[in-house]
Amino acid sequence: TNTPRTLIDGEWNIGKDGNVLDGFHMEGVSTNSYFNFRGQIKNALIRRCYLGYTVTFYYYSENVVFNQCRFNNGIYGRDNLTNRLLISNCYVNGRIYGFVPQSFVNIDHSIVTTLYSGNFQNAQFLWTNSILYAGNNDKVPVGAFSTVKNCIVVNGAGTFDNNMIVENCHYVDLANI
């Protein structure tokens, strides 16, 4: 059908402070506003969504999957723990940051356009089969103690830190094509 898309404006607050939201599923939503997980979130699937402003986790999260989404302003952990956050087949125009060191974040088959050093707080990141726009940083900022496998690093002026595992990555400088 030729149904026009629905754009929902206004801040989104998913869950309630202090409560647990288990089994949340959302698909096909487009919003140009903040998208906040206000309670603990477990076993969530967010698919084919356009999230026009920062996605923020205000509490603990576990087994949260974003699939085929577009983030227009990044993902912020707000110094909270996330256990198994998967960002798969997504386009992230912004940074993924603010998760505590015990957190585990997996970015797979995705494009991330903004990497800033110092924003990963040593969370355990696993980057696989993705395209990373590194900018002009001295080091490619993907998180201390991260694993980076089969990725393309675009415009990477620097190198990876020694404490990272890097396997089969390729570097492309768009200025020299």
Side-chain angles (χ1 to χ4, degrees):
T1 66
N2 290 329
T3 304
R5 74 180 184 152
T6 301
L7 179 63
I8 301 171
D9 286 321
E11 188 169 314
W12 285 62
N13 291 301
I14 307 299
K16 185 177 177 185
D17 289 342
N19 289 345
V20 176
L21 182 61
D22 195 348
F24 177 74
H25 180 115
M26 183 175 77
E27 185 168 349
V29 170
S30 177
T31 180
N32 282 323
S33 301
Y34 287 98
F35 194 87
N36 304 313
F37 290 107
R38 286 289 182 178
Q40 290 185 25
I41 183 161
K42 295 181 179 181
N43 306 311
L45 174 62
I46 298 96
R47 298 183 65 212
R48 298 183 182 137
C49 293
Y50 174 86
L51 304 164
Y53 209 71
T54 307
V55 173
T56 303
F57 290 87
Y58 280 80
Y59 292 93
Y60 171 81
S61 61
E62 180 178 317
N63 295 327
V64 176
V65 175
F66 288 95
N67 180 258
Q68 298 178 358
C69 293
R70 177 184 169 126
F71 299 86
N72 214 35
N73 203 30
I75 303 166
Y76 178 38
R78 204 167 182 269
D79 299 325
N80 287 297
L81 175 66
T82 187
N83 188 12
R84 295 182 301 273
L85 169 63
L86 172 61
I87 300 162
S88 176
N89 296 303
C90 293
Y91 177 82
V92 182
N93 184 27
R95 54 195 169 149
I96 303 166
Y97 69 110
F99 294 99
V100 297
Q102 299 83 5
S103 296
F104 180 76
V105 180
N106 182 359
I107 296 93
D108 182 58
H109 285 90
S110 295
I111 299 171
V112 180
T113 64
T114 307
L115 298 175
Y116 293 122
S117 29
N119 290 314
F120 293 97
Q121 297 180 319
N122 301 324
Q124 300 171 46
F125 279 79
L126 172 60
W127 303 80
T128 53
N129 306 305
S130 295
I131 299 173
L132 314 174
Y133 285 81
N136 295 319
N137 297 297
D138 291 336
K139 301 284 186 183
V140 179
V142 292
F145 307 103
S146 291
T147 300
V148 185
K149 295 182 179 181
N150 304 318
C151 290
I152 296 173
V153 180
V154 179
N155 291 351
T159 59
F160 289 95
D161 282 327
N162 293 333
N163 55 1
M164 295 179 191
I165 298 169
V166 180
E167 297 176 3
N168 197 31
C169 290
H170 300 280
Y171 301 87
V172 177
D173 184 352
L174 294 179
N176 292 327
I177 292 182

